[in-house]
Amino acid sequence: MHYRIFVAFLFSLVLAAGQVKAGEVEHWNRVATDAAVAQELDPLNESRIFAIVHASIHDALNAIDRRYDAYQARISAAPGASAEVAIAAAAHASLMELMPARKAAFEAALAETLAQVQDKQAAAGGVQVGRQAAAMNLAKRRADGASRDIKYIPGKKAGEYRPTPPDFPPAAFAQWGLIRPFVLTSASQFRPVPPLDPKSARARAEIEEVRLIGGKTSSARTAEQSEISRYWYESSPQGWNRIARVVAADRGLDEWESARLMALVNFAMADGFIGGFEAKYHYKYWRPATAIRANGDAEWLPDLWTPPVPDYPSTHTVLGAAAAAVLTRYFGTDYVSFAMTSGAPYAGITRKFWSFSEAARENGASRVLAGIHFATAVQAGYDQGERIGVFTYERALRPLPPH
C-alpha cells in the first residue's frame, strides 16, 4: 500500500511540473495545417513550414526535459517552465514568420493556451524557451534556397517533360531540388534509377495502362478506384499529418513523444519533396497526358488535373512512403490500424487501413488511377520515400540515455 501511495505521489508531481494539456502538439499541428489550407498554400511550401514548426516545438520541449537529440536549438529552459506554453510559443513564433497572413488565427490560438495556465512565472518561462527554439530554427532555414527562381525550358523530344493539357501551365518548382535538406546529406542522396526509355515496350505498355484506366471518360476504372484517386488527391503533408495525429492520439503519446513523432514525419516529407524534385528535374520525364496524346489519342485527358511538374518519380508517393516508414519504425510495427477522412478538394471520404504500408501503397496507386503518373514513377517514388523515411528515423532526434 505504501508503495502505491508513493508512486501516485511521484506521478502527481510529474503532472504538476509539466503543466501539459494532453494533445497540445496535435492542437498546434491542426492550427498550422488549417492555416495552410486557408491560405491555399502549395504542398511543397507546406512541407517546409510544417518541418520548421515541429523542429521548433521539439527543441522547446527538449529544453525543458532533454529526452532526445535536439534538432537545432540546444538551449536550456528556466526551472518550472510550462511545457504547454513552450509548445504554443514555439509554434506561434514560427508560424508568425512563415505565414504572416494568418496572424489573427495564431494570436487567438496562443491566447487560448496562455489563458489555461495559472502559474504566470511558468508561462513566462515557456514563452521564453519556445520563442528561443523558434528563432534558432527559423534562422537555420532562411537561406536554404526555397526562394530561388529557376525557369524550366520545356523539352520537345519523346520522353521530355512539357506543359500538360488541358490548361498547359508552365513547369513549377524547378528550384526545389536545390534546397538544403532537413536530414538528408544531399538532395540526390537517394535519387532513383533512370526512368524507362519512352520507346521501350514496357513504356508503351504503361502508356496504354494509364490511357485505359486513368482517363476522364474511362469505362475501365471502377467506382472504388475513382474514390481512391479522389481520397488521396489532397496535399500529402495535409493527409499524412492527419494520419500521424490520429495514430498519436489513439496510442496515447505524451507531448515529448508526440513532438518527436510529428517532427520526424514532417522532416521525412519535407526531404521527400526536396529529393523527389531533384530527381524530377534531373530526369525531366513526360507526363501521361503528353505521352498518350503523342501516341495517337490526341484528345485524351486525365481524370484529375496534372500538377505542372515532371512525372518521375511521383513525389506524392515519395511522401506517403517516407511518412509510413517513419511511423512504422516509431511504433515498432507496420500493423497499426486506423481510419482517416480526406480533406479538400474531395473532403469527407473515409477509408480504413490495417497498416501504414497499405495506406502508402494505395496512396501511390491513386496517381495511376487519376491518370497523372506512370506505374514506374509510383514504384520509384515508393522506393525513394521509404529510404528517406528510414534514414530520417535513424539519424534525427535519437533518444538519449535515461536521466
Side-chain angles (χ1 to χ4, degrees), residues 379-403:
Q379 185 59 52
Y382 192 89
D383 294 342
Q384 185 182 26
E386 186 169 38
R387 296 176 75 186
I388 289 171
V390 171
F391 185 85
T392 299
Y393 181 81
E394 291 178 347
R395 296 300 180 94
L397 315 184
R398 300 300 304 157
L400 296 174
H403 297 303

PDB file of all heavy atoms in Angstrom, residues 379-403:
ATOM      1  N   GLN A 379       6.397   3.423 -58.399  1.00  0.00           N
ATOM      2  CA  GLN A 379       7.301   2.490 -57.732  1.00  0.00           C
ATOM      3  C   GLN A 379       8.601   3.170 -57.334  1.00  0.00           C
ATOM      4  O   GLN A 379       9.116   2.952 -56.235  1.00  0.00           O
ATOM      5  CB  GLN A 379       7.597   1.293 -58.625  1.00  0.00           C
ATOM      6  CG  GLN A 379       8.445   0.216 -57.944  1.00  0.00           C
ATOM      7  CD  GLN A 379       7.811  -0.338 -56.687  1.00  0.00           C
ATOM      8  OE1 GLN A 379       6.649  -0.753 -56.699  1.00  0.00           O
ATOM      9  NE2 GLN A 379       8.553  -0.357 -55.581  1.00  0.00           N
ATOM     10  N   ALA A 380       9.136   4.005 -58.216  1.00  0.00           N
ATOM     11  CA  ALA A 380      10.358   4.738 -57.883  1.00  0.00           C
ATOM     12  C   ALA A 380      10.118   5.662 -56.699  1.00  0.00           C
ATOM     13  O   ALA A 380      10.977   5.804 -55.818  1.00  0.00           O
ATOM     14  CB  ALA A 380      10.834   5.540 -59.095  1.00  0.00           C
ATOM     15  N   GLY A 381       8.950   6.281 -56.659  1.00  0.00           N
ATOM     16  CA  GLY A 381       8.618   7.146 -55.533  1.00  0.00           C
ATOM     17  C   GLY A 381       8.507   6.382 -54.233  1.00  0.00           C
ATOM     18  O   GLY A 381       8.953   6.853 -53.178  1.00  0.00           O
ATOM     19  N   TYR A 382       7.912   5.194 -54.296  1.00  0.00           N
ATOM     20  CA  TYR A 382       7.793   4.388 -53.084  1.00  0.00           C
ATOM     21  C   TYR A 382       9.178   3.985 -52.568  1.00  0.00           C
ATOM     22  O   TYR A 382       9.462   4.092 -51.369  1.00  0.00           O
ATOM     23  CB  TYR A 382       6.946   3.141 -53.349  1.00  0.00           C
ATOM     24  CG  TYR A 382       6.548   2.432 -52.079  1.00  0.00           C
ATOM     25  CD1 TYR A 382       5.382   2.778 -51.408  1.00  0.00           C
ATOM     26  CD2 TYR A 382       7.358   1.446 -51.529  1.00  0.00           C
ATOM     27  CE1 TYR A 382       5.035   2.147 -50.222  1.00  0.00           C
ATOM     28  CE2 TYR A 382       7.020   0.819 -50.356  1.00  0.00           C
ATOM     29  CZ  TYR A 382       5.850   1.169 -49.699  1.00  0.00           C
ATOM     30  OH  TYR A 382       5.514   0.558 -48.518  1.00  0.00           O
ATOM     31  N   ASP A 383      10.044   3.544 -53.457  1.00  0.00           N
ATOM     32  CA  ASP A 383      11.392   3.122 -53.048  1.00  0.00           C
ATOM     33  C   ASP A 383      12.180   4.293 -52.467  1.00  0.00           C
ATOM     34  O   ASP A 383      12.829   4.160 -51.424  1.00  0.00           O
ATOM     35  CB  ASP A 383      12.141   2.529 -54.239  1.00  0.00           C
ATOM     36  CG  ASP A 383      11.519   1.225 -54.731  1.00  0.00           C
ATOM     37  OD1 ASP A 383      10.749   0.605 -53.969  1.00  0.00           O
ATOM     38  OD2 ASP A 383      11.798   0.842 -55.887  1.00  0.00           O
ATOM     39  N   GLN A 384      12.148   5.425 -53.153  1.00  0.00           N
ATOM     40  CA  GLN A 384      12.883   6.588 -52.667  1.00  0.00           C
ATOM     41  C   GLN A 384      12.324   7.080 -51.332  1.00  0.00           C
ATOM     42  O   GLN A 384      13.075   7.389 -50.400  1.00  0.00           O
ATOM     43  CB  GLN A 384      12.829   7.723 -53.694  1.00  0.00           C
ATOM     44  CG  GLN A 384      13.676   8.930 -53.285  1.00  0.00           C
ATOM     45  CD  GLN A 384      13.575  10.072 -54.278  1.00  0.00           C
ATOM     46  OE1 GLN A 384      12.584  10.215 -54.988  1.00  0.00           O
ATOM     47  NE2 GLN A 384      14.615  10.893 -54.347  1.00  0.00           N
ATOM     48  N   GLY A 385      10.997   7.137 -51.228  1.00  0.00           N
ATOM     49  CA  GLY A 385      10.387   7.615 -49.997  1.00  0.00           C
ATOM     50  C   GLY A 385      10.687   6.728 -48.805  1.00  0.00           C
ATOM     51  O   GLY A 385      10.956   7.222 -47.705  1.00  0.00           O
ATOM     52  N   GLU A 386      10.655   5.424 -49.003  1.00  0.00           N
ATOM     53  CA  GLU A 386      10.949   4.515 -47.897  1.00  0.00           C
ATOM     54  C   GLU A 386      12.387   4.703 -47.418  1.00  0.00           C
ATOM     55  O   GLU A 386      12.651   4.719 -46.206  1.00  0.00           O
ATOM     56  CB  GLU A 386      10.716   3.076 -48.320  1.00  0.00           C
ATOM     57  CG  GLU A 386      10.859   2.076 -47.169  1.00  0.00           C
ATOM     58  CD  GLU A 386      10.360   0.699 -47.538  1.00  0.00           C
ATOM     59  OE1 GLU A 386      10.574   0.278 -48.687  1.00  0.00           O
ATOM     60  OE2 GLU A 386       9.763   0.036 -46.673  1.00  0.00           O
ATOM     61  N   ARG A 387      13.307   4.868 -48.334  1.00  0.00           N
ATOM     62  CA  ARG A 387      14.713   5.072 -47.942  1.00  0.00           C
ATOM     63  C   ARG A 387      14.889   6.398 -47.197  1.00  0.00           C
ATOM     64  O   ARG A 387      15.646   6.477 -46.224  1.00  0.00           O
ATOM     65  CB  ARG A 387      15.604   5.022 -49.178  1.00  0.00           C
ATOM     66  CG  ARG A 387      15.606   3.656 -49.865  1.00  0.00           C
ATOM     67  CD  ARG A 387      16.415   3.664 -51.149  1.00  0.00           C
ATOM     68  NE  ARG A 387      17.843   3.668 -50.881  1.00  0.00           N
ATOM     69  CZ  ARG A 387      18.779   3.792 -51.808  1.00  0.00           C
ATOM     70  NH1 ARG A 387      18.425   3.933 -53.085  1.00  0.00           N
ATOM     71  NH2 ARG A 387      20.056   3.775 -51.482  1.00  0.00           N
ATOM     72  N   ILE A 388      14.182   7.421 -47.639  1.00  0.00           N
ATOM     73  CA  ILE A 388      14.258   8.715 -46.955  1.00  0.00           C
ATOM     74  C   ILE A 388      13.673   8.608 -45.551  1.00  0.00           C
ATOM     75  O   ILE A 388      14.237   9.130 -44.582  1.00  0.00           O
ATOM     76  CB  ILE A 388      13.537   9.795 -47.779  1.00  0.00           C
ATOM     77  CG1 ILE A 388      14.341  10.130 -49.034  1.00  0.00           C
ATOM     78  CG2 ILE A 388      13.315  11.065 -46.946  1.00  0.00           C
ATOM     79  CD1 ILE A 388      13.626  11.033 -50.018  1.00  0.00           C
ATOM     80  N   GLY A 389      12.529   7.922 -45.421  1.00  0.00           N
ATOM     81  CA  GLY A 389      11.909   7.772 -44.116  1.00  0.00           C
ATOM     82  C   GLY A 389      12.774   6.994 -43.135  1.00  0.00           C
ATOM     83  O   GLY A 389      12.913   7.386 -41.971  1.00  0.00           O
ATOM     84  N   VAL A 390      13.376   5.905 -43.596  1.00  0.00           N
ATOM     85  CA  VAL A 390      14.248   5.103 -42.730  1.00  0.00           C
ATOM     86  C   VAL A 390      15.463   5.930 -42.308  1.00  0.00           C
ATOM     87  O   VAL A 390      15.851   5.938 -41.126  1.00  0.00           O
ATOM     88  CB  VAL A 390      14.681   3.812 -43.446  1.00  0.00           C
ATOM     89  CG1 VAL A 390      15.765   3.094 -42.646  1.00  0.00           C
ATOM     90  CG2 VAL A 390      13.489   2.895 -43.668  1.00  0.00           C
ATOM     91  N   PHE A 391      16.076   6.617 -43.259  1.00  0.00           N
ATOM     92  CA  PHE A 391      17.252   7.429 -42.953  1.00  0.00           C
ATOM     93  C   PHE A 391      16.903   8.520 -41.937  1.00  0.00           C
ATOM     94  O   PHE A 391      17.657   8.764 -40.985  1.00  0.00           O
ATOM     95  CB  PHE A 391      17.799   8.057 -44.230  1.00  0.00           C
ATOM     96  CG  PHE A 391      19.088   8.816 -44.044  1.00  0.00           C
ATOM     97  CD1 PHE A 391      20.300   8.154 -44.090  1.00  0.00           C
ATOM     98  CD2 PHE A 391      19.079  10.189 -43.815  1.00  0.00           C
ATOM     99  CE1 PHE A 391      21.501   8.844 -43.920  1.00  0.00           C
ATOM    100  CE2 PHE A 391      20.266  10.884 -43.638  1.00  0.00           C
ATOM    101  CZ  PHE A 391      21.485  10.210 -43.696  1.00  0.00           C
ATOM    102  N   THR A 392      15.766   9.171 -42.119  1.00  0.00           N
ATOM    103  CA  THR A 392      15.344  10.223 -41.194  1.00  0.00           C
ATOM    104  C   THR A 392      15.164   9.677 -39.793  1.00  0.00           C
ATOM    105  O   THR A 392      15.646  10.270 -38.813  1.00  0.00           O
ATOM    106  CB  THR A 392      14.027  10.859 -41.679  1.00  0.00           C
ATOM    107  OG1 THR A 392      14.233  11.438 -42.977  1.00  0.00           O
ATOM    108  CG2 THR A 392      13.543  11.930 -40.722  1.00  0.00           C
ATOM    109  N   TYR A 393      14.478   8.549 -39.679  1.00  0.00           N
ATOM    110  CA  TYR A 393      14.232   7.979 -38.356  1.00  0.00           C
ATOM    111  C   TYR A 393      15.535   7.577 -37.671  1.00  0.00           C
ATOM    112  O   TYR A 393      15.696   7.759 -36.458  1.00  0.00           O
ATOM    113  CB  TYR A 393      13.310   6.767 -38.470  1.00  0.00           C
ATOM    114  CG  TYR A 393      13.012   6.154 -37.120  1.00  0.00           C
ATOM    115  CD1 TYR A 393      12.042   6.702 -36.298  1.00  0.00           C
ATOM    116  CD2 TYR A 393      13.734   5.050 -36.660  1.00  0.00           C
ATOM    117  CE1 TYR A 393      11.782   6.171 -35.048  1.00  0.00           C
ATOM    118  CE2 TYR A 393      13.477   4.515 -35.410  1.00  0.00           C
ATOM    119  CZ  TYR A 393      12.497   5.072 -34.611  1.00  0.00           C
ATOM    120  OH  TYR A 393      12.260   4.551 -33.361  1.00  0.00           O
ATOM    121  N   GLU A 394      16.465   7.038 -38.440  1.00  0.00           N
ATOM    122  CA  GLU A 394      17.711   6.540 -37.843  1.00  0.00           C
ATOM    123  C   GLU A 394      18.689   7.654 -37.491  1.00  0.00           C
ATOM    124  O   GLU A 394      19.533   7.475 -36.612  1.00  0.00           O
ATOM    125  CB  GLU A 394      18.377   5.552 -38.799  1.00  0.00           C
ATOM    126  CG  GLU A 394      17.602   4.245 -38.950  1.00  0.00           C
ATOM    127  CD  GLU A 394      18.241   3.288 -39.937  1.00  0.00           C
ATOM    128  OE1 GLU A 394      19.142   3.737 -40.687  1.00  0.00           O
ATOM    129  OE2 GLU A 394      17.833   2.105 -39.964  1.00  0.00           O
ATOM    130  N   ARG A 395      18.594   8.807 -38.143  1.00  0.00           N
ATOM    131  CA  ARG A 395      19.603   9.853 -37.967  1.00  0.00           C
ATOM    132  C   ARG A 395      19.155  11.038 -37.119  1.00  0.00           C
ATOM    133  O   ARG A 395      20.008  11.733 -36.568  1.00  0.00           O
ATOM    134  CB  ARG A 395      20.048  10.369 -39.340  1.00  0.00           C
ATOM    135  CG  ARG A 395      20.751   9.327 -40.211  1.00  0.00           C
ATOM    136  CD  ARG A 395      22.000   8.796 -39.555  1.00  0.00           C
ATOM    137  NE  ARG A 395      22.671   7.812 -40.389  1.00  0.00           N
ATOM    138  CZ  ARG A 395      23.657   8.089 -41.244  1.00  0.00           C
ATOM    139  NH1 ARG A 395      24.082   9.342 -41.376  1.00  0.00           N
ATOM    140  NH2 ARG A 395      24.214   7.141 -41.986  1.00  0.00           N
ATOM    141  N   ALA A 396      17.873  11.314 -37.023  1.00  0.00           N
ATOM    142  CA  ALA A 396      17.418  12.544 -36.376  1.00  0.00           C
ATOM    143  C   ALA A 396      16.693  12.249 -35.052  1.00  0.00           C
ATOM    144  O   ALA A 396      16.005  11.241 -34.923  1.00  0.00           O
ATOM    145  CB  ALA A 396      16.483  13.308 -37.301  1.00  0.00           C
ATOM    146  N   LEU A 397      16.897  13.153 -34.075  1.00  0.00           N
ATOM    147  CA  LEU A 397      16.142  13.147 -32.813  1.00  0.00           C
ATOM    148  C   LEU A 397      16.218  11.818 -32.086  1.00  0.00           C
ATOM    149  O   LEU A 397      15.229  11.291 -31.586  1.00  0.00           O
ATOM    150  CB  LEU A 397      14.670  13.529 -33.074  1.00  0.00           C
ATOM    151  CG  LEU A 397      14.399  14.719 -33.985  1.00  0.00           C
ATOM    152  CD1 LEU A 397      12.916  15.021 -34.048  1.00  0.00           C
ATOM    153  CD2 LEU A 397      15.206  15.943 -33.607  1.00  0.00           C
ATOM    154  N   ARG A 398      17.416  11.274 -32.004  1.00  0.00           N
ATOM    155  CA  ARG A 398      17.603   9.974 -31.365  1.00  0.00           C
ATOM    156  C   ARG A 398      17.372  10.069 -29.849  1.00  0.00           C
ATOM    157  O   ARG A 398      17.711  11.065 -29.215  1.00  0.00           O
ATOM    158  CB  ARG A 398      19.011   9.432 -31.640  1.00  0.00           C
ATOM    159  CG  ARG A 398      19.322   9.237 -33.117  1.00  0.00           C
ATOM    160  CD  ARG A 398      18.352   8.251 -33.754  1.00  0.00           C
ATOM    161  NE  ARG A 398      18.341   6.975 -33.062  1.00  0.00           N
ATOM    162  CZ  ARG A 398      17.312   6.124 -33.110  1.00  0.00           C
ATOM    163  NH1 ARG A 398      16.210   6.427 -33.754  1.00  0.00           N
ATOM    164  NH2 ARG A 398      17.401   4.960 -32.490  1.00  0.00           N
ATOM    165  N   PRO A 399      16.809   9.018 -29.240  1.00  0.00           N
ATOM    166  CA  PRO A 399      16.605   9.037 -27.775  1.00  0.00           C
ATOM    167  C   PRO A 399      17.936   9.108 -27.046  1.00  0.00           C
ATOM    168  O   PRO A 399      18.921   8.489 -27.430  1.00  0.00           O
ATOM    169  CB  PRO A 399      15.905   7.701 -27.509  1.00  0.00           C
ATOM    170  CG  PRO A 399      15.314   7.305 -28.823  1.00  0.00           C
ATOM    171  CD  PRO A 399      16.236   7.824 -29.870  1.00  0.00           C
ATOM    172  N   LEU A 400      17.948   9.880 -25.968  1.00  0.00           N
ATOM    173  CA  LEU A 400      19.130   9.971 -25.121  1.00  0.00           C
ATOM    174  C   LEU A 400      19.041   8.937 -24.009  1.00  0.00           C
ATOM    175  O   LEU A 400      17.946   8.460 -23.678  1.00  0.00           O
ATOM    176  CB  LEU A 400      19.220  11.378 -24.516  1.00  0.00           C
ATOM    177  CG  LEU A 400      19.425  12.516 -25.501  1.00  0.00           C
ATOM    178  CD1 LEU A 400      19.342  13.864 -24.771  1.00  0.00           C
ATOM    179  CD2 LEU A 400      20.740  12.391 -26.238  1.00  0.00           C
ATOM    180  N   PRO A 401      20.148   8.571 -23.392  1.00  0.00           N
ATOM    181  CA  PRO A 401      20.090   7.637 -22.253  1.00  0.00           C
ATOM    182  C   PRO A 401      19.213   8.218 -21.144  1.00  0.00           C
ATOM    183  O   PRO A 401      19.157   9.446 -20.967  1.00  0.00           O
ATOM    184  CB  PRO A 401      21.556   7.547 -21.804  1.00  0.00           C
ATOM    185  CG  PRO A 401      22.346   7.944 -22.999  1.00  0.00           C
ATOM    186  CD  PRO A 401      21.524   8.959 -23.719  1.00  0.00           C
ATOM    187  N   PRO A 402      18.483   7.382 -20.411  1.00  0.00           N
ATOM    188  CA  PRO A 402      17.629   7.893 -19.338  1.00  0.00           C
ATOM    189  C   PRO A 402      18.421   8.702 -18.322  1.00  0.00           C
ATOM    190  O   PRO A 402      19.604   8.468 -18.097  1.00  0.00           O
ATOM    191  CB  PRO A 402      17.052   6.617 -18.692  1.00  0.00           C
ATOM    192  CG  PRO A 402      17.196   5.567 -19.763  1.00  0.00           C
ATOM    193  CD  PRO A 402      18.422   5.915 -20.528  1.00  0.00           C
ATOM    194  N   HIS A 403      17.760   9.692 -17.710  1.00  0.00           N
ATOM    195  CA  HIS A 403      18.406  10.505 -16.679  1.00  0.00           C
ATOM    196  C   HIS A 403      18.837   9.600 -15.531  1.00  0.00           C
ATOM    197  O   HIS A 403      18.062   8.765 -15.106  1.00  0.00           O
ATOM    198  CB  HIS A 403      17.444  11.570 -16.145  1.00  0.00           C
ATOM    199  CG  HIS A 403      17.028  12.542 -17.194  1.00  0.00           C
ATOM    200  ND1 HIS A 403      17.912  13.303 -17.918  1.00  0.00           N
ATOM    201  CD2 HIS A 403      15.793  12.869 -17.650  1.00  0.00           C
ATOM    202  CE1 HIS A 403      17.254  14.072 -18.761  1.00  0.00           C
ATOM    203  NE2 HIS A 403      15.960  13.821 -18.628  1.00  0.00           N
TER     204      HIS A 403
END
